[in-house]
Amino acid sequence: MNIILLGPPGAGKGTQAQRLVEKHGMRQLSTGDMLRAAVKAETAIGLEAKAVMERGELVSDAIVSALIGEELDAMGPDTGAIFDGYPRTAAQAEALDEILAARGRKLDHVIELEVDEDALVERITGRFTCAACGKGYHDKFEQPKIPGTCDKCGGTEFKRRPDDNAETVRTRLAEYRAKTAPILPIYDARGIVSKIDGMADMDEVTGAIEAILNS
Ligand code: ADP
Ligand code: ADP
Ligand code: ZN
């Protein structure tokens, strides 16, 4: 199974992808995570991407598509892929078709998380993750059960993204509207898009995704 989770920054893509990984042993392919790892490691790609990401603009199509191809090659052919934050432009959508076809994979579902833009700034400015395992949390909507301790790994250090501030979110949303939302019709024409209410409770969103995967 190969699926795309589509939605603006803060829609809940990462949260839901992590749940699918836990439950179904699928693999989350987040270009944002890959790029942040490259920035941290100060690779050539990381050095090129850092300032672009800090501004909330999009990194070049060639870079992210190459990262996706490498990541797919590193996983077993039978492991399902959850594309999280990719594709984000029409050129990336085209590239993904080729990347998948070359590996004998096909896209099963594009799941769009529909959210109110007004809610996204609060979601994003309250977001943090476990520094050790990457599990996502939120100041108001998903705190660790024991304060200061990660539910998943027991880690006690957490981090926040430098681009998760109200100002950068606006640029990221504008990029989403201008470049990413327009790719939906490509998938709509293939009849593989399902829209779900991303404003619902996290567990309800998970249930809606499960229903689509089982359909
Ligand atoms: P979000 O959680 O807000 O959806 P991501 O972690 O997916 O954000 O992405 C963070 C930043 O990394 C983006 O603002 C952009 O600069 C860059 N980025 C991630 N994925 C892509 C992509 N597919 N194409 C271009 N840039 C990307
Ligand atoms: P994305 O990957 O689409 O940028 P995330 O999954 O990181 O979004 O979610 C952004 C923030 O909102 C996180 O802190 C997460 O805990 C929280 N969040 C995710 N889904 C929901 C939801 N359905 N209701 C409330 N908060 C949510
Ligand atoms: Zn953890």
Side-chain angles (χ1 to χ4, degrees), residues 24 33 36 39 43 52 64 80 86 90 96-97 134 136 153 164 170 176 178 182 187 189 207 210:
H24 300 291
D33 286 347
R36 280 184 288 281
V39 168
T43 63
V52 179
V64 292
Y86 178 92
L96 180 60
D97 283 341
C153 78
D164 276 351
R170 279 178 236 292
Y176 182 82
Y187 297 121
E210 293 288 349

Side-chain angles (χ1 to χ4, degrees), residues 130 132-135 150 152-155:
C130 171
C133 76
K135 158 120 185 61
C150 175
K152 191 176 160 195
C153 78

Side-chain angles (χ1 to χ4, degrees), residues 9 13 31 36 53 57 59 85 88 92 127 161 172:
K13 305 180 295 294
T31 41
R36 280 184 288 281
M53 292 171 76
E57 294 167 8
V59 173
R88 260 174 153 98
Q92 291 177 27
R127 166 162 67 186
R161 283 167 43 180
R172 286 157 60 193

Side-chain angles (χ1 to χ4, degrees), residues 2-170:
N2 299 285
I3 68 170
I4 295 174
L5 294 182
L6 202 69
K13 305 180 295 294
T15 302
Q16 298 300 329
Q18 287 184 345
R19 292 178 173 205
L20 294 174
V21 167
E22 299 256 305
K23 191 148 175 229
H24 300 291
M26 297 173 79
R27 178 85 165 260
Q28 175 186 12
L29 290 95
S30 158
T31 41
D33 286 347
M34 295 173 206
L35 289 167
R36 280 184 288 281
V39 168
K40 196 173 170 205
E42 299 184 328
T43 63
I45 286 176
L47 294 174
E48 188 175 331
K50 187 168 191 273
V52 179
M53 292 171 76
E54 276 169 2
R55 288 197 300 273
E57 294 167 8
L58 294 185
V59 173
S60 83
D61 294 328
I63 286 183
V64 292
S65 294
L67 288 171
I68 285 285
E70 283 167 22
E71 195 89 355
L72 274 174
D73 287 337
M75 42 194 268
D78 301 327
T79 304
I82 308 158
F83 297 97
D84 163 11
Y86 178 92
R88 260 174 153 98
T89 64
Q92 291 177 27
E94 270 179 45
L96 180 60
D97 283 341
E98 289 170 19
I99 288 168
L100 290 174
R103 290 161 181 81
R105 288 178 179 263
K106 80 172 206 336
L107 210 47
D108 298 290
H109 299 283
V110 175
I111 301 175
E112 184 193 6
L113 298 171
E114 294 185 299
V115 284
D116 300 339
E117 282 199 6
D118 300 343
L120 296 180
V121 172
E122 184 183 25
R123 282 223 191 149
I124 284 177
T125 52
R127 166 162 67 186
F128 62 98
T129 55
C130 171
C133 76
K135 158 120 185 61
Y137 292 98
H138 191 279
D139 290 329
K140 193 160 142 192
F141 306 123
E142 194 181 10
Q143 293 192 15
K145 292 185 181 72
I146 304 165
T149 305
C150 175
D151 298 347
K152 191 176 160 195
C153 78
T156 54
E157 260 184 71
F158 297 88
K159 57 185 184 184
R160 288 175 196 263
R161 283 167 43 180
D163 60 337
D164 276 351
N165 59 74
E167 195 194 325
T168 306
V169 170
R170 279 178 236 292

